[in-house]
């Protein structure tokens, strides 16, 4: 497949342009030639030296990640920026990135993947960001206790051996669940307004403790990395349907 066609397909599926004014990440093709072909695609959560080297070792043509290397552009390509770019350019490895578009995709996205794990029904977009959404909410088929919810996530997610943390201030029976992966406690008020019993996200902020306690809602902190593996794995399945070879690169941070 031509690289340009590969990029166009992903751009369209993920609605990259709709998030252009909302996201600090330069979504889409961040590093790559104007032409080229793609036979082998590697996917990973983070675009960093470790995943670049592993993608090169796997002889991939393009690496698709959730977190890229351009957050508002570069002033200079020196130091750490040069060290990250150099193996990509030297080995003709293209880098494609989808940050918020992959969080918000209601079928392939990170929040959708967490909702799948929990078996949520009656799903709808959640986590407003301008005119778009970066999460999902739904109803548990059978109510969870906070311990059952934590155990389910602990078992299913790639937490790097770290425990799933809970701010257990909500009801005994958890039915309505809101999800914003990564760093999502800023959407706690929206979760409360939506009638959620629990907000699931990756990492927390200090203020979330008292906000959750005062609102009487659970907050589950399942790990930034751990909650954001689902999107790239879903993209892996998508590009396999296009007839391309794929490799998943797991580099858990435990954070």
């Amino acid at each position: 497949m031509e690289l340009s066609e590969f990029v166009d397909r992903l751009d369209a599926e993920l609605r990259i342009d709709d998030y252009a004014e909302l996201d600090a990440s330069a979504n889409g093709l961040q590093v790559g030639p104007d032409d080229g072909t793609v036979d082998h695609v590697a996917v990973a959560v983070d675009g960093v030296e470790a995943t670049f080297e592993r993608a090169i070792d796997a002889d991939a043509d393009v690496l698709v990640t959730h977190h890229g290397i351009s957050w508002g552009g570069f002033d200079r390509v020196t130091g750490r920026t040069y060290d990250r770019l150099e193996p990509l350019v030297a080995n003709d490895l293209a880098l494609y990135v989808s940050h918020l578009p992959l969080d918000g995709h209601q079928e392939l996205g990170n929040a959708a993947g967490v909702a799948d794990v929990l078996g949520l029904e009656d799903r709808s977009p959640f986590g407003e960001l301008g005119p778009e959404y970066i999460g999902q909410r739904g109803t548990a088929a059978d109510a969870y206790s906070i311990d059952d919810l934590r155990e389910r996530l602990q078992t299913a997610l790639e937490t790097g051996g770290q425990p799933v943390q809970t701010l257990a201030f909500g009801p005994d029976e958890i039915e309505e669940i809101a999800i914003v992966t990564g760093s999502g406690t800023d959407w706690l008020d929206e979760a409360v307004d939506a009638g959620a019993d629990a907000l699931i996200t990756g990492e927390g902020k200090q203020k979330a403790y008292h906000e959750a306690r005062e609102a009487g809602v659970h907050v589950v902190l399942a790990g930034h990395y751990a909650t954001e593996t689902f999107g790239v794995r879903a993209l892996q399945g998508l590009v396999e349907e296009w007839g391309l070879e794929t490799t998943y690169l797991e580099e858990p941070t435990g954070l």
Side-chain angles (χ1 to χ4, degrees):
M1 181 183 295
E2 295 295 323
L3 178 60
S4 59
E5 179 185 354
F6 177 83
V7 169
D8 287 346
R9 285 191 183 191
L10 285 183
D11 284 354
E13 177 62 45
L14 296 165
R15 298 192 298 112
I16 293 295
D17 290 344
D18 293 339
Y19 287 81
E21 301 300 319
L22 306 175
D23 201 345
S25 173
N27 295 307
L29 187 66
Q30 285 195 354
V31 179
D34 291 333
D35 54 11
T37 59
V38 178
D39 295 308
H40 187 173
V41 179
V43 302
V45 174
D46 299 312
V48 292
E49 289 183 45
T51 55
F52 296 163
E53 295 296 341
R54 290 183 61 189
I56 292 164
D57 289 344
D59 200 27
D61 303 301
V62 59
L63 173 63
V64 175
T65 69
H66 181 52
H67 301 129
I69 59 176
S70 178
W71 302 88
F74 305 122
D75 292 326
R76 294 176 176 83
V77 182
T78 60
R80 188 176 301 165
T81 301
Y82 178 86
D83 291 340
R84 283 189 170 178
L85 280 169
E86 191 274 335
L88 297 173
V89 176
N91 293 276
D92 291 325
L93 176 65
L95 176 65
Y96 183 96
V97 175
S98 181
H99 184 231
L100 295 184
L102 192 54
D103 285 323
H105 197 290
Q106 295 299 295
E107 295 178 0
L108 303 175
N110 290 313
V114 176
D116 287 343
V117 165
L118 299 177
L120 300 190
E121 301 174 346
D122 300 323
R123 300 186 200 181
S124 59
F126 175 80
E128 288 189 41
L129 189 65
E132 299 296 337
Y133 294 88
I134 57 171
Q136 193 170 94
R137 58 167 298 203
T139 304
D142 297 301
Y144 287 96
S145 69
I146 188 61
D147 289 338
D148 289 341
L149 185 60
R150 178 178 56 239
E151 180 62 28
R152 178 66 183 134
L153 293 170
Q154 186 75 55
T155 301
L157 272 57
E158 301 171 23
T159 64
Q162 298 302 308
V164 171
Q165 297 178 294
T166 58
L167 306 178
F169 298 122
D172 291 339
E173 292 192 346
I174 301 169
E175 295 179 320
E176 301 300 320
I177 297 174
I179 306 165
V180 175
T181 61
S183 180
T185 55
D186 287 343
W187 284 267
L188 181 58
D189 285 343
E190 184 181 336
V192 174
D193 291 343
D197 302 313
L199 171 66
I200 296 175
T201 187
E203 60 183 88
K205 297 179 179 179
Q206 169 71 12
K207 66 178 184 176
Y209 178 92
H210 290 290
E211 290 176 344
R213 185 178 184 180
E214 292 164 4
V217 65
H218 298 291
V219 174
V220 180
L221 308 174
H224 195 128
Y225 178 95
T227 58
E228 297 196 327
T229 61
F230 295 97
V232 292
R233 293 301 297 264
L235 291 183
Q236 179 183 17
L238 177 65
V239 301
E240 284 176 352
E241 293 177 5
W242 299 347
L244 300 174
E245 180 183 357
T246 68
T247 299
Y248 174 60
L249 306 177
E250 183 178 354
E251 286 285 343
T253 64
L255 300 174

